[in-house]
Amino acid sequence: MTPPAASASPGWLSRLPSGVRPYLEAAPLAAAFLGVSSGFAFAMIGATLSTRLAQDGLRKSAVTAFALTFLAYNIKFLWAPLVDTVRLPVLGRFGQRRSWLWLVGVLVMGAVVYLGSLDPTASLSRVATAAILVGVAGATFDIVIDAYRIELLEPRQFGVGAGMNQYGWRIGAASAGAVALVMAARYGWAAAYAACALFALPAMLVALVMGEPARRRPPAPPSGVVAAVVAYFSPLAEFLRRPGALVVLAFVLIHKVGDTLANLTLRLLFQDLKFTNDEIAFYDVGIGFGALLAGVFVGATMYASMGMKRSVFVSLVLMAVSNLSFAALAAYGHSNIGMAAAIGFENFASGIGGVAVVAYLSALCNLRFTATQYALLSALASIAGRFLTGTTAGGLIEAMGYVNFYLLTTLLALPGVALYGYMVRSGLAEVPAGTAGSGVD
């Protein structure tokens, strides 16, 4: 089935200003709705769970240890080949991407409801197990969503599509986070998580409306055990054969260490600075989302006017510097203006970076292995920061204080900036052989 994005633009769209028109095409709009569902699951085991555990009186080291539940997002490339190749019974007749999207969407909803039904003070181990289930289901949901998005977008739409996906992701994460906080204060955490489970529906509806992506290039089916093993690892082997692949992977691995380490500890900072749930919902979620919208728009504009390499470099510098704003907030103390400024700057920088870096990673993928290769790249992008958060962040905060901790996260972001600068100078920042970013359809 050919998606609407592949057809000619409707008459009303051609009459709109040229700067607005790309954002209202079917595929970029679909990318936004896909992002909503991708972002909500992440929020349920991220800021929302951290707030819940902190309010229940757990030690910082115990709360930050829950960041390890995100490791499913970092090893998802291990089972991503299954999403690329295994045809589901019954549902499979609707298409590889759509059938997996619907199945995993239901699993995510069930896992989120189960997590919300548990009491951390009664059995922390059961909560940890449930959080891992949400992480695995959410990571698999991301595998399908990212592959569907990349194959749905045309190469000319990658910049705008990445921006719209970032809009959607933040809408999903912010809205689910706000709904959870507000509902938990009034009806309890179980009702809050049950309500947030509905955020899985936008992606499932997109698959219903848009159909199976026309750009999907299924890999050749293996014959025999040896061929199956070779086929399973061929997406990774294909990437590693490209010129400069190891340098590119090293950059992807380290460029978000500081940013991830800082962002996964913010709710601890807000809790210790005595911000209320309503203040967090308004400033962290509300103001932050507004700043993100501005950042994504600026990022898409930069990507179109400056090109990929320059926009990625600028975004890396801004994301590194943004961690300093949290050091300043920690030094000053409880301040609504300070929180708004820190959150605003961080989200503005993240919005720009989300467009540039996501578009870059998407363009690196080969259309025969979209799910696996994007899963690998997106997983590497935050594994180091999440591992450090889960194993050392709580202890570092207790030992050195929040100010020095956020100064440290700024320093940890600099090697990624330096490595990308080297890649630009040496020519390794060019997109090597990724058919998703070419005109090859």
Side-chain angles (χ1 to χ4, degrees):
M1 179 184 295
T2 302
S7 60
S9 298
W12 66 268
L13 190 58
S14 63
R15 292 193 293 269
L16 293 175
S18 58
V20 175
R21 203 178 304 150
Y23 292 91
L24 297 179
E25 293 178 347
L29 284 175
F33 284 99
L34 291 169
V36 169
S37 294
S38 177
F40 106 91
F42 191 90
M44 291 296 95
I45 56 173
T48 301
L49 185 57
S50 296
T51 299
R52 183 183 184 185
L53 296 175
Q55 290 179 350
D56 284 337
L58 272 70
R59 288 173 55 86
K60 292 180 180 63
S61 56
V63 174
T64 57
F66 269 79
L68 294 176
T69 60
F70 288 108
L71 286 179
Y73 284 87
N74 300 115
I75 60 173
K76 61 186 179 181
F77 61 89
L78 295 177
W79 63 90
L82 300 177
V83 177
D84 264 334
T85 58
V86 173
R87 180 180 173 87
L88 296 175
V90 183
L91 280 177
R93 65 190 182 92
F94 293 103
Q96 184 76 4
R97 297 306 182 211
R98 294 204 297 170
S99 59
W100 275 93
L101 198 56
W102 291 332
L103 172 64
V104 180
V106 172
L107 296 178
V108 169
M109 294 175 73
V112 168
V113 171
Y114 176 60
L115 175 60
S117 70
L118 300 176
D119 182 0
T121 60
S123 178
L124 192 59
S125 61
R126 290 183 64 188
V127 172
T129 301
I132 291 172
L133 290 176
V134 175
V136 172
T140 309
F141 208 25
D142 268 11
I143 291 171
V144 193
I145 285 173
D146 289 328
Y148 189 96
R149 168 181 58 82
I150 293 169
E151 293 168 2
L152 194 65
L153 293 167
E154 299 173 18
R156 66 177 179 83
Q157 297 172 315
F158 270 5
V160 171
M164 293 295 280
N165 184 252
Q166 288 299 299
Y167 277 138
W169 197 97
R170 292 300 179 125
I171 288 173
S175 299
V179 167
L181 287 171
V182 172
M183 287 201 65
R186 290 158 178 80
Y187 306 107
W189 285 105
Y193 271 72
C196 290
L198 297 175
F199 281 88
L201 294 178
M204 300 167 73
L205 292 174
V206 163
L208 182 66
V209 173
M210 297 295 292
E212 190 73 0
R215 292 214 308 150
R216 171 160 166 72
R217 295 290 181 269
S223 58
V225 176
V226 175
V229 173
V230 172
Y232 193 88
F233 291 101
S234 59
L236 306 181
E238 188 276 336
F239 191 94
L240 291 173
R241 284 196 297 267
R242 301 181 193 179
L246 292 179
V247 177
V248 173
L249 290 178
F251 161 72
V252 173
L253 178 65
I254 69 172
H255 82 282
K256 284 190 68 176
V257 170
D259 190 61
T260 303
L261 194 58
N263 277 277
L264 291 178
T265 58
L266 291 182
R267 289 296 175 90
L268 290 176
L269 172 65
F270 300 156
Q271 188 70 23
D272 283 355
L273 293 182
K274 309 301 182 185
F275 286 103
T276 66
N277 278 4
D278 286 346
E279 286 175 327
I280 294 172
F282 179 75
Y283 291 101
D284 185 16
V285 179
I287 299 297
F289 178 64
L292 180 93
L293 294 181
V296 169
F297 180 78
V298 171
T301 303
M302 285 174 51
Y303 190 87
S305 61
M306 298 173 58
M308 179 194 70
K309 290 184 290 186
R310 290 183 180 179
S311 59
V312 170
F313 186 80
V314 171
S315 71
L316 293 173
V317 173
L318 288 175
M319 286 191 292
V321 174
S322 69
N323 288 352
L324 294 176
S325 62
F326 296 113
L329 178 63
Y332 186 84
H334 187 123
S335 166
N336 289 342
I337 294 177
M339 186 182 190
I343 288 295
F345 183 24
E346 193 279 331
N347 278 272
F348 181 75
S350 293
I352 294 175
V355 172
V357 176
V358 168
Y360 176 54
L361 299 184
S362 299
L364 289 173
C365 296
N366 186 308
L367 284 172
R368 290 186 297 140
F369 315 115
T370 317
T372 305
Q373 291 186 349
Y374 193 86
L376 171 67
L377 296 172
S378 60
L380 288 177
S382 56
I383 187 171
R386 286 178 188 155
F387 180 78
L388 289 172
T389 300
T391 56
T392 63
L396 286 173
I397 291 172
E398 292 172 347
M400 65 191 332
Y402 283 109
V403 175
N404 289 330
F405 174 78
Y406 288 116
L407 291 175
L408 175 64
T409 64
T410 303
L411 293 176
L412 290 175
L414 298 182
V417 179
L419 181 57
Y420 190 75
Y422 164 76
M423 289 168 59
V424 171
R425 291 193 303 272
S426 62
L428 294 177
E430 304 292 340
V431 176
T435 56
S438 72
V440 178
D441 289 332

